[in-house]
Amino acid sequence: MQAKLFGSSGVRGVVNKDLTPILAVKVGLALGTFANAGKIFVARDARTSGLMLENALVSGLLSCGAKVFCLGVLPTPVLAYLTSRLGADAGVMITASHNPPQYNGIKIFDGDGTAYDEERQNKVEQIIEQENFLLADWQNLGGAFPLNESRLYIEMIHENVRLRKSWHVVVDAGCGATGQVAPAIFKSLECKNVAINAQFDGFFPGRSPEPNAESLKSLSKIVGEMGADVGVAYDGDGDRAAFLDENGVFVDFDRVLAAYAAHVLKKGKNRIMVTNVEASMCVERMVEPYGGKVVRTKVGDVYVAEAVKKFDAVFGGEPCGAWIHPEFHYCPDGILSSALLLKALEDEGKNLSEFVAEVPAYPVLRENVPCNNEVKYAVVERAGESLKAHFPRYTQISTVDGVRLAIEEGWVLVRASGTEPLLRLTVEGESLKAAESIMEKAAAVVKEVVEGFRR
Ligand code: MG
């Protein structure tokens, strides 16, 4: 049996190797069949392969008789928002998010703006496998039309996020899809904003499409030199945001997530927030004093969105910077997150370094271990058994995603990447010494199991 096409974030792979125009046509045909043609929105991020894949995908949709609206280069959350706002039957985003430039992907959204869950992805995949496409007669082929309505999204944020102060913000779009919309939003919020890497460029010459402390060094320097209040950076398609404080210091993803969650829970209509199994235990430490309850899901925004809906949570977020604000929509939204974070700082009367200062900093270590896609899930299962044997004093085990072992001084999580041939190891400790010792032992165990599968 061939490997599954759809991972946790839709179809994802290296262009013209894993993800070819031929596959994109098939996804178009399958979606046109599954969604019964209908009205379908298509957008793409700034990658060099975007238009090639879009044309192929649209061709498949037209063959099924769909009415396709092409929205051009847009952030993923804008595509998701407009899909729901303007009543499309589905939205398709051509993006590989934060992956390197040679990657691309296809992510499908339902008419309510939530990403297709596993069940619906499997149905589309099944149609592709069986080539069970419902093609239209020549008289009933679909039509494709350009559509530019991103102003609706800008207006939505402008109307709902009112700032009292004119914040000085430096925005780093990383040459990704947020280059136009994000600066326009800060302008509409009357912020003094400077944008860098705001041109679309699929070679990502400014920095990696993945925002982290390493890739945001230029932004850090600019925030410091300009004396700005905050630096904001997005991933390639704008569903994630990363923040730098007023000193240009990169703000730890877990800590800002925990601080924002606590802020929302204080005034929320209920007390539930959702995060994934990878997030720091500082999230519980911050929200529990306000009567908050943390629901933990598998890693992947689809699962977080599902749980946010199911538990009617006030907030959902992953420590990669993907935050879901259910009062607006169910797609993680980096641009909206950055506007709401400024609002939270205003409400609390704090600057960003003060806002996160009260969150305990537990050292988190992450390590990737290369592992073939074909065996990665089996490796995780066996690694779980081996870890139990090597940490006999573990206090809790969870298999909601991979294997998460809680031990006295912290926890370790081993899971297979949804999009790459990797195992991801995450360790958190009460102290750096504890974290390092857990990681050293756990990484050795996992590598040994991977080796065992190679032999
Ligand atoms: Mg993304």
Side-chain angles (χ1 to χ4, degrees), residues 39 41 69 71 74 76-91 109-114 147-160 327-331 333:
K39 176 174 161 186
F41 283 8
F69 290 87
L71 283 66
L74 277 185
T76 297
V78 182
L79 177 270
Y81 175 75
L82 292 176
T83 296
S84 131
R85 167 86 183 260
L86 298 174
D89 297 299
F109 291 84
D110 205 352
D112 70 356
T114 37
L147 184 72
N148 182 2
E149 291 288 6
S150 53
R151 66 177 176 87
L152 292 175
Y153 174 83
I154 296 169
E155 284 168 14
M156 178 273 287
I157 295 190
H158 177 73
E159 280 160 21
N160 288 287
E327 75 272 34
F328 294 89
H329 61 153
Y330 290 102
C331 178
D333 190 333

Side-chain angles (χ1 to χ4, degrees), residues 318-380:
E318 295 188 281
C320 60
W323 295 3
I324 295 171
H325 310 279
E327 75 272 34
F328 294 89
H329 61 153
Y330 290 102
C331 178
D333 190 333
I335 303 174
L336 176 61
S337 298
S338 48
L340 289 172
L341 180 67
L342 294 181
K343 178 86 175 95
L345 296 179
E346 273 193 6
D347 290 351
E348 305 260 343
K350 289 175 180 158
N351 59 32
L352 186 48
S353 67
E354 289 164 349
F355 186 65
V356 293
E358 53 197 273
V359 184
Y362 300 118
V364 174
L365 303 175
R366 294 194 167 91
E367 201 173 315
N368 291 336
V369 177
C371 180
N372 286 338
N373 280 330
E374 293 74 36
V375 297
K376 61 188 181 186
Y377 295 98
V379 169
V380 168

Side-chain angles (χ1 to χ4, degrees), residues 55 77 81 84 116 137 207 246 266 269 281 300 323 336 382 402 412 432 436 438 440 449:
N55 283 332
Y81 175 75
S84 131
Y116 266 24
D137 299 334
R207 63 164 170 87
E246 70 283 1
K266 275 184 216 169
K269 63 183 189 312
M281 50 197 181
W323 295 3
L336 176 61
R382 194 170 304 168
V412 54
L432 183 61
E436 281 171 349
I438 299 169
E440 196 186 331
V449 175

Side-chain angles (χ1 to χ4, degrees), residues 18-74:
D18 317 305
L19 180 50
T20 62
I22 300 161
L23 178 56
V25 171
K26 288 182 181 174
V27 174
L29 289 165
L31 177 61
T33 302
F34 178 69
N36 214 358
K39 176 174 161 186
I40 302 196
F41 283 8
V42 179
R44 62 180 194 275
D45 69 14
R47 285 164 197 272
T48 58
S49 54
L51 194 57
M52 172 185 86
L53 294 170
E54 177 179 320
N55 283 332
L57 180 108
V58 170
S59 179
L61 289 167
L62 295 182
S63 171
C64 296
K67 193 170 183 184
V68 181
F69 290 87
C70 300
L71 283 66
V73 176
L74 277 185

Side-chain angles (χ1 to χ4, degrees), residues 160-425:
N160 288 287
V161 185
R162 291 289 164 95
L163 299 176
R164 293 182 297 276
K165 174 180 158 182
S166 174
W167 289 82
H168 186 181
V169 184
V170 185
V171 182
D172 182 352
C175 301
T178 54
Q180 289 179 350
V181 176
I185 283 175
F186 287 111
K187 192 176 165 211
S188 89
L189 297 176
E190 292 174 36
C191 291
K192 182 180 165 196
N193 87 91
V194 176
I196 63 167
N197 297 320
Q199 75 281 21
F200 298 144
D201 190 329
F203 292 92
F204 298 102
R207 63 164 170 87
S208 151
E210 178 157 21
N212 52 39
E214 184 58 34
S215 66
L216 301 183
K217 280 187 175 157
S218 302
L219 177 63
S220 161
K221 206 161 156 246
I222 293 167
V223 169
E225 281 171 4
M226 296 191 84
D229 296 313
V230 61
V232 181
Y234 305 105
D235 73 334
D237 66 325
D239 58 357
R240 301 180 177 188
F243 304 102
L244 306 187
D245 71 16
E246 70 283 1
N247 304 308
V249 175
F250 181 84
V251 179
D252 178 77
F253 277 122
D254 289 280
R255 293 177 77 205
V256 70
L257 173 72
Y260 186 76
H263 169 78
V264 175
L265 279 165
K266 275 184 216 169
K267 56 187 181 68
K269 63 183 189 312
N270 76 27
R271 292 280 177 266
I272 297 172
M273 70 89 49
V274 180
T275 190
N276 70 33
V277 291
E278 268 195 340
S280 164
M281 50 197 181
C282 72
V283 176
E284 278 88 355
R285 300 285 158 95
M286 284 303 288
V287 305
E288 282 169 0
Y290 301 106
K293 185 178 174 310
V294 179
V295 173
R296 284 184 180 256
T297 67
K298 281 171 135 174
V299 175
D301 60 76
V302 179
Y303 308 112
V304 175
E306 260 176 22
V308 166
K309 268 187 180 175
K310 184 176 163 192
F311 295 99
D312 193 21
V314 286
F315 175 63
E318 295 188 281
C320 60
W323 295 3
I324 295 171
H325 310 279
E327 75 272 34
F328 294 89
H329 61 153
Y330 290 102
C331 178
D333 190 333
I335 303 174
L336 176 61
S337 298
S338 48
L340 289 172
L341 180 67
L342 294 181
K343 178 86 175 95
L345 296 179
E346 273 193 6
D347 290 351
E348 305 260 343
K350 289 175 180 158
N351 59 32
L352 186 48
S353 67
E354 289 164 349
F355 186 65
V356 293
E358 53 197 273
V359 184
Y362 300 118
V364 174
L365 303 175
R366 294 194 167 91
E367 201 173 315
N368 291 336
V369 177
C371 180
N372 286 338
N373 280 330
E374 293 74 36
V375 297
K376 61 188 181 186
Y377 295 98
V379 169
V380 168
E381 211 178 306
R382 194 170 304 168
E385 292 308 312
S386 193
L387 283 169
K388 281 200 291 192
H390 283 82
F391 293 95
R393 284 170 40 225
Y394 70 91
T395 53
Q396 202 186 20
I397 182 159
S398 157
T399 54
V400 64
D401 191 1
V403 180
R404 187 182 190 275
L405 217 62
I407 37 203
E408 274 168 18
E409 321 79 43
W411 52 267
V412 54
L413 171 73
V414 185
R415 51 177 292 275
S417 161
T419 53
E420 291 169 79
L422 292 175
L423 300 179
R424 298 192 191 281
L425 264 72

